[in-house]
Amino acid sequence: MATALRCVRQVPSLLYRSSSAVVRGLPQAPAGCPASLLDGCGQRVPLVLLSRQLATKKAKGKGQPPAKVNISAALVEDIINLEETNEDMQAVIEALKEDFSRNLSVRTSPGALDHIIVTTKDGKFPLNQLGQISQKSPQLLIVNMSSFPESTAAAAKAIRESGMNLNPEMDGTIIRVPIPKVTREHRESLAKLAKQSTNKSKEALRKVRSKSVNQVKKFKSKVSEDTIWLLEKQIQQMADGAAAEMDKLLAAKAKELLG
């Protein structure tokens, strides 16, 4: 009985540990205390404490950035794989970078046409799998469709509708693609396309966030409300960080395009 009372007196001191210590792992029982005092509730103590600390900081610091949540992925791996969520969000960012690099440049090269998807009667194929793309001059690209002549018209249509401001000209199985001069209007058009691409990427990011949040909500009946709240906040933080990175990419691309 005396031992148990000493443990109870010492437990409150655990509640004043920093949130960073809480996140690193579960609190340990004081020396001499039966481990059963924390068994089964050890995980709830840090999560409840952290939620209260965050609420207090939010109340006291109006106008201040919200406190960060940093839940250990190992503690919640049975609920959601946070690392996988982060990877999915990073994949959206990488796709945006690739789009900026391939499609939104004031300099056009043969590789800029590679990714254009051509719809044929046999399916959809990248342009570089159907035709040989070369650059005849700085202002002219050539697409030789002699290997798949029946797809020439479809290839020309795909180039025209690629959003790259190109107007291809067909000559038998040869497609000539004049490169427009880099005018101010063209630069502004590319900048608008960059904005549109960023918005589409943010929509894809929101889908990743929603999918993860829905996964967490499936455990409402199995874990505490504090755990659900903290996980949702963590996922939102991850999404906000990814969106901020997209905004930086857009700002850099707009500066490059507009000069």
PDB file of all heavy atoms in Angstrom, residues 109-110 112-114 116 118 126-136 140-148 151-152 155-156 159 166 168-178:
ATOM      1  N   SER A 109      12.341  21.769 -76.737  1.00  0.00           N
ATOM      2  CA  SER A 109      13.287  20.786 -77.261  1.00  0.00           C
ATOM      3  C   SER A 109      12.507  19.560 -77.724  1.00  0.00           C
ATOM      4  O   SER A 109      11.322  19.407 -77.387  1.00  0.00           O
ATOM      5  CB  SER A 109      14.289  20.387 -76.173  1.00  0.00           C
ATOM      6  OG  SER A 109      13.615  19.734 -75.122  1.00  0.00           O
ATOM      7  N   PRO A 110      13.130  18.648 -78.504  1.00  0.00           N
ATOM      8  CA  PRO A 110      12.415  17.443 -78.942  1.00  0.00           C
ATOM      9  C   PRO A 110      11.804  16.672 -77.785  1.00  0.00           C
ATOM     10  O   PRO A 110      10.719  16.106 -77.910  1.00  0.00           O
ATOM     11  CB  PRO A 110      13.515  16.631 -79.648  1.00  0.00           C
ATOM     12  CG  PRO A 110      14.480  17.656 -80.135  1.00  0.00           C
ATOM     13  CD  PRO A 110      14.476  18.726 -79.080  1.00  0.00           C
ATOM     14  N   ALA A 112      10.386  17.716 -75.268  1.00  0.00           N
ATOM     15  CA  ALA A 112       9.163  18.337 -74.759  1.00  0.00           C
ATOM     16  C   ALA A 112       7.913  17.670 -75.319  1.00  0.00           C
ATOM     17  O   ALA A 112       6.836  17.767 -74.730  1.00  0.00           O
ATOM     18  CB  ALA A 112       9.151  19.822 -75.101  1.00  0.00           C
ATOM     19  N   LEU A 113       8.052  16.974 -76.450  1.00  0.00           N
ATOM     20  CA  LEU A 113       6.903  16.313 -77.063  1.00  0.00           C
ATOM     21  C   LEU A 113       6.770  14.848 -76.659  1.00  0.00           C
ATOM     22  O   LEU A 113       5.747  14.218 -76.928  1.00  0.00           O
ATOM     23  CB  LEU A 113       7.002  16.391 -78.601  1.00  0.00           C
ATOM     24  CG  LEU A 113       7.143  17.781 -79.239  1.00  0.00           C
ATOM     25  CD1 LEU A 113       7.151  17.653 -80.759  1.00  0.00           C
ATOM     26  CD2 LEU A 113       6.018  18.705 -78.790  1.00  0.00           C
ATOM     27  N   ASP A 114       7.795  14.310 -76.015  1.00  0.00           N
ATOM     28  CA  ASP A 114       7.815  12.872 -75.707  1.00  0.00           C
ATOM     29  C   ASP A 114       6.585  12.399 -74.967  1.00  0.00           C
ATOM     30  O   ASP A 114       6.037  11.329 -75.242  1.00  0.00           O
ATOM     31  CB  ASP A 114       9.058  12.516 -74.885  1.00  0.00           C
ATOM     32  CG  ASP A 114      10.342  12.574 -75.709  1.00  0.00           C
ATOM     33  OD1 ASP A 114      10.243  12.701 -76.958  1.00  0.00           O
ATOM     34  OD2 ASP A 114      11.429  12.494 -75.113  1.00  0.00           O
ATOM     35  N   ILE A 116       3.559  13.562 -74.761  1.00  0.00           N
ATOM     36  CA  ILE A 116       2.222  13.787 -75.320  1.00  0.00           C
ATOM     37  C   ILE A 116       1.567  12.446 -75.645  1.00  0.00           C
ATOM     38  O   ILE A 116       2.142  11.601 -76.333  1.00  0.00           O
ATOM     39  CB  ILE A 116       2.300  14.667 -76.582  1.00  0.00           C
ATOM     40  CG1 ILE A 116       2.759  16.084 -76.205  1.00  0.00           C
ATOM     41  CG2 ILE A 116       0.945  14.715 -77.289  1.00  0.00           C
ATOM     42  CD1 ILE A 116       2.930  17.018 -77.386  1.00  0.00           C
ATOM     43  N   VAL A 118      -1.008  10.038 -77.417  1.00  0.00           N
ATOM     44  CA  VAL A 118      -1.768   9.954 -78.664  1.00  0.00           C
ATOM     45  C   VAL A 118      -2.802   8.850 -78.534  1.00  0.00           C
ATOM     46  O   VAL A 118      -2.474   7.711 -78.184  1.00  0.00           O
ATOM     47  CB  VAL A 118      -0.834   9.652 -79.853  1.00  0.00           C
ATOM     48  CG1 VAL A 118      -1.638   9.599 -81.159  1.00  0.00           C
ATOM     49  CG2 VAL A 118       0.275  10.695 -79.946  1.00  0.00           C
ATOM     50  N   PRO A 126       2.499   7.169 -75.785  1.00  0.00           N
ATOM     51  CA  PRO A 126       3.306   8.395 -75.839  1.00  0.00           C
ATOM     52  C   PRO A 126       3.761   8.642 -77.275  1.00  0.00           C
ATOM     53  O   PRO A 126       4.038   7.692 -78.027  1.00  0.00           O
ATOM     54  CB  PRO A 126       4.491   8.074 -74.923  1.00  0.00           C
ATOM     55  CG  PRO A 126       4.025   6.954 -74.051  1.00  0.00           C
ATOM     56  CD  PRO A 126       3.083   6.161 -74.894  1.00  0.00           C
ATOM     57  N   LEU A 127       3.845   9.896 -77.642  1.00  0.00           N
ATOM     58  CA  LEU A 127       4.206  10.248 -79.009  1.00  0.00           C
ATOM     59  C   LEU A 127       5.549   9.654 -79.430  1.00  0.00           C
ATOM     60  O   LEU A 127       5.717   9.209 -80.567  1.00  0.00           O
ATOM     61  CB  LEU A 127       4.240  11.773 -79.156  1.00  0.00           C
ATOM     62  CG  LEU A 127       4.593  12.318 -80.542  1.00  0.00           C
ATOM     63  CD1 LEU A 127       3.604  11.826 -81.593  1.00  0.00           C
ATOM     64  CD2 LEU A 127       4.632  13.851 -80.520  1.00  0.00           C
ATOM     65  N   ASN A 128       6.512   9.614 -78.495  1.00  0.00           N
ATOM     66  CA  ASN A 128       7.849   9.122 -78.869  1.00  0.00           C
ATOM     67  C   ASN A 128       7.879   7.614 -79.129  1.00  0.00           C
ATOM     68  O   ASN A 128       8.885   7.083 -79.587  1.00  0.00           O
ATOM     69  CB  ASN A 128       8.885   9.497 -77.810  1.00  0.00           C
ATOM     70  CG  ASN A 128       8.590   8.885 -76.453  1.00  0.00           C
ATOM     71  OD1 ASN A 128       7.539   8.286 -76.242  1.00  0.00           O
ATOM     72  ND2 ASN A 128       9.515   9.055 -75.524  1.00  0.00           N
ATOM     73  N   GLN A 129       6.772   6.897 -78.820  1.00  0.00           N
ATOM     74  CA  GLN A 129       6.692   5.477 -79.154  1.00  0.00           C
ATOM     75  C   GLN A 129       6.107   5.246 -80.543  1.00  0.00           C
ATOM     76  O   GLN A 129       6.203   4.153 -81.096  1.00  0.00           O
ATOM     77  CB  GLN A 129       5.853   4.724 -78.116  1.00  0.00           C
ATOM     78  CG  GLN A 129       6.513   4.617 -76.751  1.00  0.00           C
ATOM     79  CD  GLN A 129       5.711   3.775 -75.786  1.00  0.00           C
ATOM     80  OE1 GLN A 129       4.773   3.067 -76.176  1.00  0.00           O
ATOM     81  NE2 GLN A 129       6.051   3.837 -74.503  1.00  0.00           N
ATOM     82  N   LEU A 130       5.504   6.307 -81.079  1.00  0.00           N
ATOM     83  CA  LEU A 130       4.878   6.191 -82.401  1.00  0.00           C
ATOM     84  C   LEU A 130       5.688   6.865 -83.494  1.00  0.00           C
ATOM     85  O   LEU A 130       5.674   6.420 -84.656  1.00  0.00           O
ATOM     86  CB  LEU A 130       3.471   6.804 -82.372  1.00  0.00           C
ATOM     87  CG  LEU A 130       2.484   6.190 -81.371  1.00  0.00           C
ATOM     88  CD1 LEU A 130       1.178   6.974 -81.379  1.00  0.00           C
ATOM     89  CD2 LEU A 130       2.221   4.729 -81.703  1.00  0.00           C
ATOM     90  N   GLY A 131       6.376   7.930 -83.148  1.00  0.00           N
ATOM     91  CA  GLY A 131       7.138   8.675 -84.159  1.00  0.00           C
ATOM     92  C   GLY A 131       8.528   9.049 -83.695  1.00  0.00           C
ATOM     93  O   GLY A 131       8.821   9.022 -82.496  1.00  0.00           O
ATOM     94  N   GLN A 132       9.379   9.373 -84.636  1.00  0.00           N
ATOM     95  CA  GLN A 132      10.743   9.826 -84.332  1.00  0.00           C
ATOM     96  C   GLN A 132      10.726  11.351 -84.301  1.00  0.00           C
ATOM     97  O   GLN A 132      10.385  12.000 -85.290  1.00  0.00           O
ATOM     98  CB  GLN A 132      11.719   9.332 -85.390  1.00  0.00           C
ATOM     99  CG  GLN A 132      11.877   7.814 -85.405  1.00  0.00           C
ATOM    100  CD  GLN A 132      12.853   7.342 -86.471  1.00  0.00           C
ATOM    101  OE1 GLN A 132      13.064   8.015 -87.482  1.00  0.00           O
ATOM    102  NE2 GLN A 132      13.454   6.179 -86.247  1.00  0.00           N
ATOM    103  N   ILE A 133      11.112  11.898 -83.161  1.00  0.00           N
ATOM    104  CA  ILE A 133      11.058  13.343 -82.968  1.00  0.00           C
ATOM    105  C   ILE A 133      12.458  13.924 -83.070  1.00  0.00           C
ATOM    106  O   ILE A 133      13.396  13.443 -82.426  1.00  0.00           O
ATOM    107  CB  ILE A 133      10.459  13.679 -81.588  1.00  0.00           C
ATOM    108  CG1 ILE A 133       9.117  12.963 -81.402  1.00  0.00           C
ATOM    109  CG2 ILE A 133      10.284  15.189 -81.422  1.00  0.00           C
ATOM    110  CD1 ILE A 133       8.549  13.071 -79.992  1.00  0.00           C
ATOM    111  N   SER A 134      12.599  14.961 -83.880  1.00  0.00           N
ATOM    112  CA  SER A 134      13.906  15.605 -84.042  1.00  0.00           C
ATOM    113  C   SER A 134      13.715  17.103 -84.172  1.00  0.00           C
ATOM    114  O   SER A 134      12.602  17.583 -84.414  1.00  0.00           O
ATOM    115  CB  SER A 134      14.634  15.057 -85.277  1.00  0.00           C
ATOM    116  OG  SER A 134      13.861  15.281 -86.455  1.00  0.00           O
ATOM    117  N   GLN A 135      14.795  17.839 -84.010  1.00  0.00           N
ATOM    118  CA  GLN A 135      14.746  19.298 -84.114  1.00  0.00           C
ATOM    119  C   GLN A 135      15.520  19.717 -85.354  1.00  0.00           C
ATOM    120  O   GLN A 135      16.739  19.562 -85.423  1.00  0.00           O
ATOM    121  CB  GLN A 135      15.337  19.944 -82.860  1.00  0.00           C
ATOM    122  CG  GLN A 135      15.148  21.457 -82.830  1.00  0.00           C
ATOM    123  CD  GLN A 135      15.266  22.027 -81.427  1.00  0.00           C
ATOM    124  OE1 GLN A 135      15.644  21.334 -80.496  1.00  0.00           O
ATOM    125  NE2 GLN A 135      14.918  23.297 -81.268  1.00  0.00           N
ATOM    126  N   LYS A 136      14.800  20.242 -86.329  1.00  0.00           N
ATOM    127  CA  LYS A 136      15.433  20.647 -87.589  1.00  0.00           C
ATOM    128  C   LYS A 136      16.112  22.004 -87.440  1.00  0.00           C
ATOM    129  O   LYS A 136      17.157  22.255 -88.044  1.00  0.00           O
ATOM    130  CB  LYS A 136      14.389  20.702 -88.702  1.00  0.00           C
ATOM    131  CG  LYS A 136      14.977  20.929 -90.081  1.00  0.00           C
ATOM    132  CD  LYS A 136      13.934  20.780 -91.161  1.00  0.00           C
ATOM    133  CE  LYS A 136      14.557  20.948 -92.549  1.00  0.00           C
ATOM    134  NZ  LYS A 136      13.544  20.776 -93.616  1.00  0.00           N
ATOM    135  N   LEU A 140      11.841  24.842 -85.318  1.00  0.00           N
ATOM    136  CA  LEU A 140      11.049  23.797 -85.976  1.00  0.00           C
ATOM    137  C   LEU A 140      11.391  22.399 -85.462  1.00  0.00           C
ATOM    138  O   LEU A 140      12.553  21.989 -85.475  1.00  0.00           O
ATOM    139  CB  LEU A 140      11.276  23.837 -87.484  1.00  0.00           C
ATOM    140  CG  LEU A 140      10.471  22.832 -88.316  1.00  0.00           C
ATOM    141  CD1 LEU A 140       8.966  23.120 -88.211  1.00  0.00           C
ATOM    142  CD2 LEU A 140      10.924  22.874 -89.785  1.00  0.00           C
ATOM    143  N   LEU A 141      10.355  21.672 -85.020  1.00  0.00           N
ATOM    144  CA  LEU A 141      10.488  20.267 -84.646  1.00  0.00           C
ATOM    145  C   LEU A 141       9.833  19.408 -85.719  1.00  0.00           C
ATOM    146  O   LEU A 141       8.832  19.814 -86.323  1.00  0.00           O
ATOM    147  CB  LEU A 141       9.817  19.990 -83.293  1.00  0.00           C
ATOM    148  CG  LEU A 141      10.391  20.699 -82.065  1.00  0.00           C
ATOM    149  CD1 LEU A 141       9.575  20.314 -80.822  1.00  0.00           C
ATOM    150  CD2 LEU A 141      11.847  20.336 -81.863  1.00  0.00           C
ATOM    151  N   ILE A 142      10.395  18.220 -85.943  1.00  0.00           N
ATOM    152  CA  ILE A 142       9.870  17.293 -86.936  1.00  0.00           C
ATOM    153  C   ILE A 142       9.497  15.980 -86.256  1.00  0.00           C
ATOM    154  O   ILE A 142      10.269  15.435 -85.466  1.00  0.00           O
ATOM    155  CB  ILE A 142      10.912  16.991 -88.043  1.00  0.00           C
ATOM    156  CG1 ILE A 142      11.283  18.273 -88.793  1.00  0.00           C
ATOM    157  CG2 ILE A 142      10.388  15.925 -89.013  1.00  0.00           C
ATOM    158  CD1 ILE A 142      10.141  18.866 -89.602  1.00  0.00           C
ATOM    159  N   VAL A 143       8.305  15.473 -86.569  1.00  0.00           N
ATOM    160  CA  VAL A 143       7.864  14.177 -86.064  1.00  0.00           C
ATOM    161  C   VAL A 143       7.637  13.262 -87.260  1.00  0.00           C
ATOM    162  O   VAL A 143       6.739  13.498 -88.081  1.00  0.00           O
ATOM    163  CB  VAL A 143       6.563  14.282 -85.246  1.00  0.00           C
ATOM    164  CG1 VAL A 143       6.188  12.918 -84.672  1.00  0.00           C
ATOM    165  CG2 VAL A 143       6.713  15.301 -84.121  1.00  0.00           C
ATOM    166  N   ASN A 144       8.469  12.230 -87.383  1.00  0.00           N
ATOM    167  CA  ASN A 144       8.379  11.283 -88.495  1.00  0.00           C
ATOM    168  C   ASN A 144       7.503  10.109 -88.056  1.00  0.00           C
ATOM    169  O   ASN A 144       7.886   9.319 -87.208  1.00  0.00           O
ATOM    170  CB  ASN A 144       9.776  10.806 -88.878  1.00  0.00           C
ATOM    171  CG  ASN A 144       9.773   9.960 -90.131  1.00  0.00           C
ATOM    172  OD1 ASN A 144       8.768   9.347 -90.478  1.00  0.00           O
ATOM    173  ND2 ASN A 144      10.896   9.917 -90.828  1.00  0.00           N
ATOM    174  N   MET A 145       6.336   9.984 -88.690  1.00  0.00           N
ATOM    175  CA  MET A 145       5.371   8.953 -88.319  1.00  0.00           C
ATOM    176  C   MET A 145       5.362   7.782 -89.295  1.00  0.00           C
ATOM    177  O   MET A 145       4.390   7.028 -89.352  1.00  0.00           O
ATOM    178  CB  MET A 145       3.971   9.577 -88.249  1.00  0.00           C
ATOM    179  CG  MET A 145       3.806  10.647 -87.194  1.00  0.00           C
ATOM    180  SD  MET A 145       3.876   9.982 -85.514  1.00  0.00           S
ATOM    181  CE  MET A 145       2.440   8.917 -85.497  1.00  0.00           C
ATOM    182  N   SER A 146       6.442   7.582 -90.050  1.00  0.00           N
ATOM    183  CA  SER A 146       6.477   6.537 -91.085  1.00  0.00           C
ATOM    184  C   SER A 146       6.320   5.124 -90.508  1.00  0.00           C
ATOM    185  O   SER A 146       5.854   4.215 -91.203  1.00  0.00           O
ATOM    186  CB  SER A 146       7.776   6.620 -91.895  1.00  0.00           C
ATOM    187  OG  SER A 146       8.897   6.522 -91.033  1.00  0.00           O
ATOM    188  N   SER A 147       6.655   4.921 -89.250  1.00  0.00           N
ATOM    189  CA  SER A 147       6.510   3.597 -88.634  1.00  0.00           C
ATOM    190  C   SER A 147       5.051   3.293 -88.292  1.00  0.00           C
ATOM    191  O   SER A 147       4.639   2.123 -88.273  1.00  0.00           O
ATOM    192  CB  SER A 147       7.361   3.503 -87.362  1.00  0.00           C
ATOM    193  OG  SER A 147       8.726   3.638 -87.655  1.00  0.00           O
ATOM    194  N   PHE A 148       4.271   4.343 -88.041  1.00  0.00           N
ATOM    195  CA  PHE A 148       2.846   4.187 -87.742  1.00  0.00           C
ATOM    196  C   PHE A 148       2.063   5.248 -88.520  1.00  0.00           C
ATOM    197  O   PHE A 148       1.471   6.161 -87.937  1.00  0.00           O
ATOM    198  CB  PHE A 148       2.581   4.337 -86.246  1.00  0.00           C
ATOM    199  CG  PHE A 148       3.223   3.281 -85.390  1.00  0.00           C
ATOM    200  CD1 PHE A 148       4.496   3.476 -84.875  1.00  0.00           C
ATOM    201  CD2 PHE A 148       2.561   2.088 -85.134  1.00  0.00           C
ATOM    202  CE1 PHE A 148       5.098   2.502 -84.102  1.00  0.00           C
ATOM    203  CE2 PHE A 148       3.158   1.106 -84.361  1.00  0.00           C
ATOM    204  CZ  PHE A 148       4.435   1.302 -83.840  1.00  0.00           C
ATOM    205  N   SER A 151      -1.445   6.585 -87.672  1.00  0.00           N
ATOM    206  CA  SER A 151      -1.636   7.392 -86.461  1.00  0.00           C
ATOM    207  C   SER A 151      -1.169   8.832 -86.648  1.00  0.00           C
ATOM    208  O   SER A 151      -1.143   9.592 -85.672  1.00  0.00           O
ATOM    209  CB  SER A 151      -0.881   6.755 -85.288  1.00  0.00           C
ATOM    210  OG  SER A 151      -1.362   5.456 -85.010  1.00  0.00           O
ATOM    211  N   THR A 152      -0.849   9.201 -87.871  1.00  0.00           N
ATOM    212  CA  THR A 152      -0.312  10.547 -88.113  1.00  0.00           C
ATOM    213  C   THR A 152      -1.306  11.635 -87.712  1.00  0.00           C
ATOM    214  O   THR A 152      -0.964  12.586 -87.002  1.00  0.00           O
ATOM    215  CB  THR A 152       0.073  10.722 -89.595  1.00  0.00           C
ATOM    216  OG1 THR A 152       1.021   9.712 -89.965  1.00  0.00           O
ATOM    217  CG2 THR A 152       0.692  12.095 -89.823  1.00  0.00           C
ATOM    218  N   ALA A 155      -1.711  11.872 -84.016  1.00  0.00           N
ATOM    219  CA  ALA A 155      -0.537  12.482 -83.382  1.00  0.00           C
ATOM    220  C   ALA A 155      -0.584  13.998 -83.519  1.00  0.00           C
ATOM    221  O   ALA A 155      -0.291  14.732 -82.569  1.00  0.00           O
ATOM    222  CB  ALA A 155       0.736  11.919 -83.992  1.00  0.00           C
ATOM    223  N   ALA A 156      -0.946  14.463 -84.720  1.00  0.00           N
ATOM    224  CA  ALA A 156      -1.036  15.908 -84.952  1.00  0.00           C
ATOM    225  C   ALA A 156      -2.099  16.532 -84.042  1.00  0.00           C
ATOM    226  O   ALA A 156      -1.905  17.615 -83.474  1.00  0.00           O
ATOM    227  CB  ALA A 156      -1.355  16.186 -86.417  1.00  0.00           C
ATOM    228  N   ILE A 159      -0.782  16.815 -80.452  1.00  0.00           N
ATOM    229  CA  ILE A 159       0.168  17.925 -80.315  1.00  0.00           C
ATOM    230  C   ILE A 159      -0.588  19.250 -80.234  1.00  0.00           C
ATOM    231  O   ILE A 159      -0.290  20.113 -79.409  1.00  0.00           O
ATOM    232  CB  ILE A 159       1.152  17.947 -81.505  1.00  0.00           C
ATOM    233  CG1 ILE A 159       2.035  16.703 -81.470  1.00  0.00           C
ATOM    234  CG2 ILE A 159       2.013  19.212 -81.459  1.00  0.00           C
ATOM    235  CD1 ILE A 159       2.874  16.515 -82.722  1.00  0.00           C
ATOM    236  N   LEU A 166       1.053  24.923 -79.622  1.00  0.00           N
ATOM    237  CA  LEU A 166       1.697  24.456 -80.847  1.00  0.00           C
ATOM    238  C   LEU A 166       0.658  24.229 -81.932  1.00  0.00           C
ATOM    239  O   LEU A 166      -0.456  23.789 -81.654  1.00  0.00           O
ATOM    240  CB  LEU A 166       2.473  23.161 -80.586  1.00  0.00           C
ATOM    241  CG  LEU A 166       3.581  23.255 -79.540  1.00  0.00           C
ATOM    242  CD1 LEU A 166       4.184  21.878 -79.271  1.00  0.00           C
ATOM    243  CD2 LEU A 166       4.671  24.229 -79.992  1.00  0.00           C
ATOM    244  N   PRO A 168       0.731  22.147 -85.239  1.00  0.00           N
ATOM    245  CA  PRO A 168       1.428  21.242 -86.152  1.00  0.00           C
ATOM    246  C   PRO A 168       0.866  21.270 -87.572  1.00  0.00           C
ATOM    247  O   PRO A 168      -0.320  21.537 -87.783  1.00  0.00           O
ATOM    248  CB  PRO A 168       1.216  19.877 -85.499  1.00  0.00           C
ATOM    249  CG  PRO A 168      -0.056  20.026 -84.732  1.00  0.00           C
ATOM    250  CD  PRO A 168      -0.048  21.439 -84.226  1.00  0.00           C
ATOM    251  N   GLU A 169       1.737  20.958 -88.532  1.00  0.00           N
ATOM    252  CA  GLU A 169       1.356  20.918 -89.945  1.00  0.00           C
ATOM    253  C   GLU A 169       1.720  19.544 -90.506  1.00  0.00           C
ATOM    254  O   GLU A 169       2.861  19.099 -90.389  1.00  0.00           O
ATOM    255  CB  GLU A 169       2.093  22.009 -90.730  1.00  0.00           C
ATOM    256  CG  GLU A 169       1.844  23.419 -90.194  1.00  0.00           C
ATOM    257  CD  GLU A 169       2.815  24.436 -90.774  1.00  0.00           C
ATOM    258  OE1 GLU A 169       3.721  24.006 -91.540  1.00  0.00           O
ATOM    259  OE2 GLU A 169       2.684  25.635 -90.480  1.00  0.00           O
ATOM    260  N   MET A 170       0.750  18.847 -91.120  1.00  0.00           N
ATOM    261  CA  MET A 170       0.974  17.511 -91.654  1.00  0.00           C
ATOM    262  C   MET A 170       1.420  17.562 -93.106  1.00  0.00           C
ATOM    263  O   MET A 170       0.917  18.352 -93.903  1.00  0.00           O
ATOM    264  CB  MET A 170      -0.310  16.676 -91.539  1.00  0.00           C
ATOM    265  CG  MET A 170      -0.700  16.308 -90.121  1.00  0.00           C
ATOM    266  SD  MET A 170      -2.307  15.461 -90.033  1.00  0.00           S
ATOM    267  CE  MET A 170      -2.102  14.167 -91.258  1.00  0.00           C
ATOM    268  N   ASP A 171       2.395  16.711 -93.438  1.00  0.00           N
ATOM    269  CA  ASP A 171       2.866  16.546 -94.812  1.00  0.00           C
ATOM    270  C   ASP A 171       3.131  15.058 -95.023  1.00  0.00           C
ATOM    271  O   ASP A 171       4.248  14.587 -94.822  1.00  0.00           O
ATOM    272  CB  ASP A 171       4.144  17.365 -95.040  1.00  0.00           C
ATOM    273  CG  ASP A 171       4.629  17.270 -96.494  1.00  0.00           C
ATOM    274  OD1 ASP A 171       3.903  16.684 -97.330  1.00  0.00           O
ATOM    275  OD2 ASP A 171       5.730  17.775 -96.780  1.00  0.00           O
ATOM    276  N   GLY A 172       2.082  14.324 -95.405  1.00  0.00           N
ATOM    277  CA  GLY A 172       2.204  12.873 -95.502  1.00  0.00           C
ATOM    278  C   GLY A 172       2.347  12.278 -94.098  1.00  0.00           C
ATOM    279  O   GLY A 172       1.506  12.492 -93.225  1.00  0.00           O
ATOM    280  N   THR A 173       3.439  11.552 -93.891  1.00  0.00           N
ATOM    281  CA  THR A 173       3.702  10.973 -92.565  1.00  0.00           C
ATOM    282  C   THR A 173       4.639  11.849 -91.736  1.00  0.00           C
ATOM    283  O   THR A 173       5.095  11.446 -90.668  1.00  0.00           O
ATOM    284  CB  THR A 173       4.310   9.569 -92.705  1.00  0.00           C
ATOM    285  OG1 THR A 173       5.527   9.654 -93.444  1.00  0.00           O
ATOM    286  CG2 THR A 173       3.338   8.612 -93.395  1.00  0.00           C
ATOM    287  N   ILE A 174       4.908  13.039 -92.227  1.00  0.00           N
ATOM    288  CA  ILE A 174       5.765  13.988 -91.508  1.00  0.00           C
ATOM    289  C   ILE A 174       4.903  15.072 -90.872  1.00  0.00           C
ATOM    290  O   ILE A 174       4.027  15.651 -91.520  1.00  0.00           O
ATOM    291  CB  ILE A 174       6.797  14.634 -92.463  1.00  0.00           C
ATOM    292  CG1 ILE A 174       7.713  13.572 -93.071  1.00  0.00           C
ATOM    293  CG2 ILE A 174       7.612  15.684 -91.710  1.00  0.00           C
ATOM    294  CD1 ILE A 174       8.548  12.827 -92.053  1.00  0.00           C
ATOM    295  N   ILE A 175       5.153  15.322 -89.623  1.00  0.00           N
ATOM    296  CA  ILE A 175       4.459  16.404 -88.920  1.00  0.00           C
ATOM    297  C   ILE A 175       5.481  17.483 -88.585  1.00  0.00           C
ATOM    298  O   ILE A 175       6.467  17.227 -87.885  1.00  0.00           O
ATOM    299  CB  ILE A 175       3.796  15.905 -87.616  1.00  0.00           C
ATOM    300  CG1 ILE A 175       2.820  14.769 -87.909  1.00  0.00           C
ATOM    301  CG2 ILE A 175       3.076  17.060 -86.918  1.00  0.00           C
ATOM    302  CD1 ILE A 175       2.214  14.153 -86.655  1.00  0.00           C
ATOM    303  N   ARG A 176       5.258  18.666 -89.102  1.00  0.00           N
ATOM    304  CA  ARG A 176       6.132  19.794 -88.786  1.00  0.00           C
ATOM    305  C   ARG A 176       5.496  20.588 -87.644  1.00  0.00           C
ATOM    306  O   ARG A 176       4.310  20.929 -87.707  1.00  0.00           O
ATOM    307  CB  ARG A 176       6.340  20.681 -90.013  1.00  0.00           C
ATOM    308  CG  ARG A 176       7.140  20.013 -91.128  1.00  0.00           C
ATOM    309  CD  ARG A 176       7.420  20.995 -92.263  1.00  0.00           C
ATOM    310  NE  ARG A 176       8.329  20.430 -93.249  1.00  0.00           N
ATOM    311  CZ  ARG A 176       7.940  19.649 -94.261  1.00  0.00           C
ATOM    312  NH1 ARG A 176       6.650  19.355 -94.405  1.00  0.00           N
ATOM    313  NH2 ARG A 176       8.818  19.162 -95.111  1.00  0.00           N
ATOM    314  N   VAL A 177       6.308  20.899 -86.650  1.00  0.00           N
ATOM    315  CA  VAL A 177       5.811  21.625 -85.484  1.00  0.00           C
ATOM    316  C   VAL A 177       6.598  22.922 -85.319  1.00  0.00           C
ATOM    317  O   VAL A 177       7.684  22.944 -84.722  1.00  0.00           O
ATOM    318  CB  VAL A 177       5.937  20.779 -84.206  1.00  0.00           C
ATOM    319  CG1 VAL A 177       5.247  21.493 -83.039  1.00  0.00           C
ATOM    320  CG2 VAL A 177       5.337  19.388 -84.405  1.00  0.00           C
ATOM    321  N   PRO A 178       6.069  24.024 -85.853  1.00  0.00           N
ATOM    322  CA  PRO A 178       6.746  25.312 -85.678  1.00  0.00           C
ATOM    323  C   PRO A 178       6.753  25.715 -84.200  1.00  0.00           C
ATOM    324  O   PRO A 178       5.761  25.529 -83.492  1.00  0.00           O
ATOM    325  CB  PRO A 178       5.902  26.288 -86.507  1.00  0.00           C
ATOM    326  CG  PRO A 178       5.120  25.413 -87.456  1.00  0.00           C
ATOM    327  CD  PRO A 178       4.870  24.147 -86.700  1.00  0.00           C
TER     328      PRO A 178
END
